Amino acid sequence: MKNNNETTSIVALGGLGEVGKNMYVVTHNDEIIVIDAGVMFPEDDLLGIDYVIQDVTYLKQNEEKIKGLVITHGHEDHIGGISFLLNTVNIPKIYASKIAADLIVKKLTDKNINYNNIELVTEETVLKTKYFTIEFVGTTHSIPGSFGIAIHTPNGTIFETGDFKFDLTPIGPMANIHKMAELGSKGVTLLLSDSTNALSEGFSKSESSVDEALNDIVSRHHGRVIIATFASNIYRIKHIVETCRKNNRKIIIFGRSMETSIELAMNNGLIEDKTIFIDNNQAKNLKKKEICILCTGTQGEPLAALSRIANGIHKQITLMPDDLVVFSSSPIPGNAASINRVINKLYLKGVKVYTNRTFNDVHTSGHAKEEELKWMLRIIKPKYFMPMHGEYRMLKQHGEIAESCDIPKENIFICKNGDVINLNNGIVTRGESIKSGDVYVDGSRIGDIGSQVIKDRKLMGNDGILVTILNINTLTRKLLIKPNVTTRGFIMVNENPELISKIENKITEIVNKTLANSSYSHTDLKNQIILELYPFINELTGRHPIILPVIMEVNKA
């Protein structure tokens, strides 16, 4: 990215055209501020991929300019990529709230990464570099310690909202609307605002209404209550604990991430009564109406606690007919089918199930809906606007919302990852795009899984794999025995002897023909087998298995 010394540039390396993988970079001359470093969880078609992270080539090329990584809040889509980032780029300091910092430290410890440069920030914190002055504005979200970030630059003020909603009766602190209004009155050149719920009309429900609904459910039910919620929604967990305390129920926790969140909440004084938590053995001495099970698995994840309970394979919990299961969550796009499978299994076990559809107040989003987005636009009164954190349709709708709030259409920038926005003397224009994209994480492998690997995995998933083992006499240049063919996910070898025989004969024909060529090589033979066998199998079966020739050479006179 070309940056004239007098220009301030903003680019997203993740978070535009997608929900997750958030990373926004502000550059002026020889200074860079990075906002967030999140992960995105893969779609179903990314077989075997654990996470999707940003391509940070730009940061690596300019790492001597980086002054710090500023964190808006502690959710995975904002901090989950930090361990990967630190392994690639030198980040001199991370600035985060206490809760976000605790979550980051735990992640780094789990990955054996030693990093001691995390500085805690509050709303009173002001960070100053040569060109930037950074302020933190408290917002309401589903996790404590959430901030919007105001960056004052030589070319104007940028306000990045982070994830937010406006809740007038929140469980935690109110958003600092007064500080937002003060920023707006002084003048904000560019607003970057959360677009996650831009397609949802009206206002989001208050978290306190969920508190009332859950209290009503728990108080009326006389059997065990099983509540599944996002482990990252610490405020929800806090009031579930309070609800159970009011109704004389003890809580059993299932799910590693849930245990981590509760430990974090207790360490930060958000949950004070530690005696409310018991283990499964202690529960045996209690009546059913004195027990609440708090677990993970709201999205139908196969290995999560709720899925294992529904499938009857949980080692410690067996469902009872008078159990009540509450999904205190909403489906993440793409997860509806897996959630419905879990709900059907729960019904088959004879238990009662409440979801946000059947009981409208058991969940509320932590993201602003349309009317709240208008509030932010009216309070901040930006000259220019760039919607962020959302799929393209969400960004587009948020742009239209901004237009309805009197932001001129030509001052609204709908961008994609890698697009550069330049600020110069209070004027915002588009710049020259930089390299960006997705990097796949597969276990300990990062970045070496390309599109061809994913394509091969899809082929294997759809049509299987065929392996042929060839024993070749290097002296006589002939097959010692007929090719051995085995398959996985293609056909059953024992049940298709005629087809297997045709394939073996075809392979023999290809091998003999290739070996007769004086320039024979391993690579030539493998390529020829794949080239000729692929259409042959497709004609016989209509399928396209991955073909893997294995050649074993023997020197035998």
Side-chain angles (χ1 to χ4, degrees):
M1 175 171 64
K2 294 178 182 177
N3 189 295
N4 142 349
N5 289 348
E6 303 305 318
T7 298
T8 304
S9 298
I10 301 95
V11 62
L13 296 182
L16 300 184
E18 58 200 5
V19 176
K21 197 162 71 70
N22 290 284
M23 181 181 282
Y24 308 92
V25 180
V26 183
T27 304
H28 187 94
N29 199 355
D30 60 350
E31 290 191 336
I32 286 177
I33 297 295
V34 184
I35 302 175
D36 291 336
V39 295
M40 184 166 64
F41 294 100
E43 298 287 344
D44 290 342
D45 61 342
L46 291 178
L47 303 174
I49 300 302
D50 299 315
Y51 305 107
V52 183
I53 58 175
Q54 309 84 0
D55 181 337
V56 292
T57 301
Y58 173 71
L59 294 182
K60 185 63 181 172
Q61 291 170 344
N62 296 275
E63 65 182 340
E64 75 284 350
K65 298 181 180 181
I66 299 172
K67 298 303 173 186
L69 170 63
V70 181
I71 301 301
T72 58
H73 66 284
H75 280 158
E76 283 291 292
D77 54 340
H78 296 260
I79 67 168
I82 290 177
S83 59
F84 306 113
L85 179 63
L86 292 178
N87 280 328
T88 308
V89 179
N90 177 41
I91 302 295
K93 190 165 284 191
I94 296 173
Y95 301 93
S97 68
K98 175 67 165 60
I99 285 200
D102 286 352
L103 286 165
I104 293 166
V105 168
K106 178 161 181 56
K107 285 181 175 299
L108 297 183
T109 302
D110 288 346
K111 292 183 178 292
N112 296 315
I113 297 174
N114 184 24
Y115 185 86
N116 300 312
N117 295 324
I118 300 178
E119 183 175 314
L120 300 185
V121 298
T122 67
E123 270 203 282
E124 285 68 48
T125 301
V126 177
L127 305 177
K128 290 192 175 183
T129 68
K130 184 166 48 173
Y131 297 111
F132 300 125
T133 299
I134 301 169
E135 294 184 83
F136 297 83
V137 182
T139 56
T140 300
H141 190 43
S142 54
I143 187 171
S146 297
F147 295 123
I149 311 293
I151 304 179
H152 304 285
T153 81
N155 288 298
T157 296
I158 302 162
F159 184 55
E160 204 261 41
T161 65
D163 290 357
F164 78 96
K165 66 184 288 186
F166 286 115
D167 187 342
L168 302 183
T169 54
I171 297 299
M174 272 271 298
N176 195 337
I177 299 173
H178 300 291
K179 193 169 184 178
M180 292 178 192
E182 186 180 354
L183 279 169
S185 65
K186 290 179 179 178
V188 171
T189 307
L190 177 65
L191 171 66
L192 280 67
S193 184
D194 174 17
S195 306
T196 309
N197 268 345
L199 297 170
S200 301
E201 296 178 349
F203 290 90
S204 59
K205 291 194 301 287
S206 170
E207 189 67 29
S208 61
S209 68
V210 178
D211 194 16
E212 293 168 10
L214 287 173
N215 185 65
D216 185 48
I217 291 168
V218 171
S219 63
R220 286 190 291 107
H221 190 68
H222 298 291
R224 292 188 309 183
V225 175
I226 301 171
I227 302 177
T229 192
F230 294 113
S232 60
N233 194 336
I234 292 177
Y235 281 134
R236 182 73 44 79
I237 294 169
K238 173 180 166 62
H239 68 63
I240 288 170
V241 170
E242 289 301 309
T243 296
C244 289
R245 188 182 57 78
K246 290 177 194 172
N247 290 280
N248 298 312
R249 287 184 186 262
K250 297 291 186 182
I251 299 174
I252 314 170
I253 310 164
F254 289 110
R256 185 166 174 250
S257 57
M258 186 67 73
E259 291 171 358
T260 298
S261 291
I262 288 173
E263 180 184 351
L264 184 75
M266 290 193 291
N267 291 342
N268 284 274
L270 294 164
I271 296 174
E272 297 178 354
D273 182 8
K274 299 181 182 181
T275 64
I276 197 167
F277 301 104
I278 60 172
D279 60 34
N280 200 43
N281 289 327
Q282 292 172 292
K284 293 174 183 175
N285 301 319
L286 299 176
K287 297 175 183 176
K288 294 178 187 176
K289 66 179 182 180
E290 297 174 331
I291 297 170
C292 173
I293 295 168
L294 181 57
C295 64
T296 55
T298 62
Q299 302 304 303
E301 307 95 315
L303 299 180
L306 187 60
S307 292
R308 288 184 284 124
I309 291 169
N311 288 322
I313 58 173
H314 199 285
K315 292 180 180 178
Q316 295 173 284
I317 298 295
T318 302
L319 287 171
M320 302 177 185
D322 58 350
D323 283 343
L324 171 64
V325 179
V326 180
F327 281 76
S328 186
S329 61
S330 58
I332 293 173
N335 291 345
S338 54
I339 296 169
N340 288 336
R341 279 194 293 272
V342 172
I343 292 172
N344 283 328
K345 287 174 182 176
L346 290 168
Y347 274 117
L348 284 169
K349 298 284 185 182
V351 303
K352 192 170 185 178
V353 181
Y354 279 162
T355 68
N356 204 39
R357 290 180 182 176
T358 56
F359 203 96
N360 198 39
D361 287 328
V362 294
H363 177 68
T364 183
S365 174
H367 298 271
K369 292 187 177 181
E370 182 177 342
E371 297 304 314
E372 295 155 272
L373 296 177
K374 291 177 182 177
W375 268 33
M376 181 62 78
L377 286 156
R378 292 297 191 187
I379 292 168
I380 298 298
K381 299 180 290 187
K383 185 177 179 182
Y384 296 90
F385 176 61
M386 181 180 121
M388 64 165 191
H389 195 338
E391 297 171 1
Y392 180 78
R393 60 197 174 117
M394 301 167 187
L395 304 179
K396 184 73 174 172
Q397 177 64 24
H398 201 172
E400 292 177 8
I401 291 169
E403 204 174 339
S404 75
C405 290
D406 303 324
I407 306 293
K409 189 172 184 178
E410 62 272 19
N411 288 10
I412 298 168
F413 293 83
I414 311 296
C415 298
K416 61 182 184 296
N417 294 332
D419 287 354
V420 173
I421 298 298
N422 288 327
L423 276 71
N424 207 315
N425 293 323
I427 305 298
V428 176
T429 56
R430 285 187 183 269
E432 184 180 332
S433 296
I434 65 166
K435 184 178 185 292
S436 68
D438 293 340
V439 173
Y440 300 136
V441 179
D442 182 352
S444 60
R445 300 169 63 194
I446 302 171
D448 61 346
I449 295 95
S451 57
Q452 186 57 48
V453 173
I454 299 297
K455 183 179 177 182
D456 286 348
R457 288 179 180 180
K458 289 177 184 176
L459 284 172
M460 283 189 280
N462 292 329
D463 293 325
I465 182 170
L466 181 145
V467 179
T468 177
I469 300 174
L470 307 171
N471 290 276
I472 297 175
N473 187 327
T474 56
L475 297 178
T476 63
R477 294 168 70 91
K478 290 183 179 180
L479 283 167
L480 287 170
I481 57 174
K482 72 176 183 178
N484 177 270
V485 173
T486 187
T487 74
R488 291 291 183 273
F490 172 47
I491 57 170
M492 293 295 291
V493 173
N494 294 338
E495 294 178 6
N496 295 274
E498 185 179 342
L499 177 58
I500 293 297
S501 179
K502 288 181 180 180
I503 293 171
E504 288 173 346
N505 290 338
K506 182 64 175 178
I507 294 169
T508 301
E509 176 191 321
I510 298 166
V511 172
N512 287 336
K513 181 176 65 177
T514 306
L515 291 178
N517 191 321
S518 59
S519 61
Y520 149 77
S521 71
H522 267 197
T523 304
D524 290 340
L525 180 55
K526 287 181 178 180
N527 288 342
Q528 197 62 33
I529 290 170
I530 294 168
L531 182 66
E532 294 191 38
L533 196 58
Y534 195 77
F536 179 78
I537 291 175
N538 182 42
E539 188 176 340
L540 290 175
T541 66
R543 299 178 67 183
H544 307 83
I546 294 288
I547 298 168
L548 182 62
V550 177
I551 299 174
M552 303 180 71
E553 292 188 330
V554 179
N555 294 316
K556 189 174 180 181

